[in-house]
Amino acid sequence: MATDTAHASSAFVDDFMSYVEERSPHQPEFHQAVREVVSSLEVVLEARPEYRRHRILERLVEPERVIQFRVPWMDDDGDVHVNRGYRVEFNSAIGPYKGGLRFHNSVNLSVLKFLGFEQIFKNSLTGLPIGGGKGGSDFSPSGRSDMEVMRFCQSFMTELQRHIGADTDVPAGDIGVGGREIGYMFGQYRRIQNKFTGTITGRAADWGGSLLRPEATGYGCVYFAAEMLAAKGRTLEGMNCLVSGSGNVAQYTTEKINELGGKVLTLSDSGGWIHDENGIDAEKLAFVMDLKNNRRGRISEYAEKFPNAKWYPATGGSEGNPLWSVPADAAFPSATQNEIMGVDATHLVENKIQLVAEGANMPTTADGQAIFMEHGVLYGPAKAANAGGVAVSALEMSQASQRLQWSREEVDKHLKRVMKGIHDGCVHAAESFGHEGNYIHGSNIAGFTKVADSMIQQGLI
Ligand code: NDP
Ligand code: 2IT
């Protein structure tokens, strides 16, 4: 079982991290993501000295290109605002840069470099030909009118359009970028380029989008959880589940858990969280989807609509998030990075959590991961568990090239196959390097080797 620590510290890891921290100071999220990956790779570099000779790690942590730009826009009162736009084109060894755009006031270069770095390995794990990238802005759509969001998206794309393309770099959604934002950005891209291409994924099904892309991250995460359980001869049936967030990933995670016979007890947003002991069934989920996607309201309204449920304001701080203290069998963090700290992981294992599958990117701190490993929790790390979204984005790129639209069933079949492939690839890689049952090491090693070999084969670039 998974008894080894998440981030075994060693002279090799510490030396490499000193190098990264010196070259890229003040980027704590990026350092965290790199440390996790590098901690898995010492054994691989020992077995394959050519990776050291070719300085693969040093090359991997340096983005191929970082674009930063000014995004000026005007609000409904005629006041001018200036935000910062970014695209981190991290690695294109196995395909065009691929990864989402995040619009949130917490966005900075450290956050986007962590996300872009993770995306390299996640995309490699899917088995599909996509490189790693990420972008976004420190603009939050929350509280803005549709017209303000449109003006922002048009200004953002007026610059971004010159850097992206169907064979170069293909953005998609992430926090704060859903169907509305993708629409405004695609419209502006098409208008400036005078081309209808598959340059952005997550498009609506009527204009080039793939069926099942909205569902893909959440569904894929639950498929991954089901695979981890199946490997132990178990299923999700009857499991009480904690889900955080209430956006795209949380919504479709909830839908698939319900379909597979589990019960979802919680959801959250940045204002607080709800606890519904009776479970968030299909009818209640439909309310949440309308609330969040159409009315853009707060999750507190859930408790007004369904009085058996309780709403608690967000607390934060060192005592942790009380959502993770609700007794349950499985947890699906689906909001944002570092939302499960050591203290939260302790509460989860005290309540005998059996499984954690990460819909969000890097939702668990290094301390939290170590606690899950120590207690033998079935832990599906983000780059494996949430890869279903980008996998269906890659299928959207294929459909765009073919100028065809596949059926929902066809896409779902591919998605299940990809998630099973990722699961089995992680298990195999972990076993091969002496870490049986450890999906952290499994995902990092399996994701890394394909990119590293491709970089060597393509020469020193
Ligand atoms: P959405 O914008 O649809 O939803 C985000 C949810 O998380 C909202 O409920 C939001 O609350 C909450 N949230 C965001 N930031 C914070 C914060 N700092 N503190 C507390 N709550 C927060 O985004 P997605 O569902 O698309 O993304 C959720 C996670 O999944 C992210 O980590 C993303 O990187 C990851 N992911 C997304 C994929 C996709 O296909 N969309 C693919 C793979 C991973 P509020 O509304 O109050 O801001
Ligand atoms: O983190 C992610 O994998 C995403 N936000 C989805 C990226 C994509 O290109 O679909």
Side-chain angles (χ1 to χ4, degrees), residues 87 98-102 115 119 122-123 130 133-134 170-175 201-202 213 217 359 361 386-394:
R87 187 73 182 164
K98 181 83 197 85
L101 296 170
R102 177 176 291 192
L115 289 162
Q119 201 83 42
K122 181 195 305 192
N123 292 4
I130 38 178
K134 200 84 188 190
V170 183
D174 193 81
I175 290 177
T201 61
R213 175 62 188 89
T217 309
N361 283 306
N386 75 31
V390 75
V392 172
S393 275

Side-chain angles (χ1 to χ4, degrees), residues 102 174-176 213 217 246-249 269-270 298 334-335 359-361:
R102 177 176 291 192
D174 193 81
I175 290 177
R213 175 62 188 89
T217 309
S246 49
N248 171 269
V249 178
D269 62 19
S270 51
R298 310 309 298 159
S334 308
N361 283 306

Side-chain angles (χ1 to χ4, degrees), residues 73-81 143-151:
W73 58 281
M74 192 175 276
D75 70 20
D76 290 342
D77 297 327
D79 289 333
V80 170
H81 298 256
R144 293 290 173 192
S145 70
D146 286 352
M147 288 304 100
E148 289 176 325
V149 171
M150 184 182 79
R151 287 194 290 274

Side-chain angles (χ1 to χ4, degrees), residues 83-251:
N83 285 96
R84 215 169 255 175
Y86 305 86
R87 187 73 182 164
V88 180
E89 297 185 333
F90 227 119
N91 193 296
S92 59
I94 65 169
Y97 309 107
K98 181 83 197 85
L101 296 170
R102 177 176 291 192
F103 290 171
H104 193 268
N105 55 24
S106 61
V107 163
N108 57 38
L109 195 54
S110 173
V111 168
L112 295 180
K113 280 180 69 181
F114 117 63
L115 289 162
F117 186 72
E118 289 273 295
Q119 201 83 42
I120 302 169
F121 308 100
K122 181 195 305 192
N123 292 4
S124 164
L125 285 169
T126 66
L128 299 164
I130 38 178
K134 200 84 188 190
S137 173
D138 58 354
F139 165 83
S140 279
S142 171
R144 293 290 173 192
S145 70
D146 286 352
M147 288 304 100
E148 289 176 325
V149 171
M150 184 182 79
R151 287 194 290 274
F152 174 82
C153 288
Q154 290 181 340
S155 179
F156 182 85
M157 186 51 76
T158 301
E159 174 60 30
L160 188 68
Q161 56 87 23
R162 66 182 96 244
H163 306 288
I164 61 176
D167 297 320
T168 312
D169 183 356
V170 183
D174 193 81
I175 290 177
V177 178
R180 174 183 61 173
E181 290 75 17
I182 294 288
Y184 293 147
M185 285 192 278
F186 183 71
Q188 183 75 345
Y189 178 82
R190 187 169 59 73
R191 175 198 203 185
I192 296 174
Q193 293 272 331
N194 193 26
K195 274 188 203 134
F196 194 113
T197 65
T199 298
I200 303 179
T201 61
R203 286 173 287 153
D206 284 345
W207 35 276
S210 175
L211 295 171
L212 218 81
R213 175 62 188 89
E215 293 88 341
T217 309
Y219 280 17
C221 187
V222 181
Y223 291 153
F224 193 86
E227 287 293 336
M228 289 198 291
L229 288 167
K232 303 270 171 214
R234 286 147 52 193
T235 71
L236 264 168
E237 179 88 43
M239 276 198 165
N240 284 326
C241 300
L242 307 177
V243 177
S244 63
S246 49
N248 171 269
V249 178
Q251 292 169 16

Side-chain angles (χ1 to χ4, degrees), residues 58 97 176 237 342 382 397 403 428:
E58 289 80 352
Y97 309 107
E237 179 88 43
M397 291 164 70
R403 301 199 186 281
H428 177 72

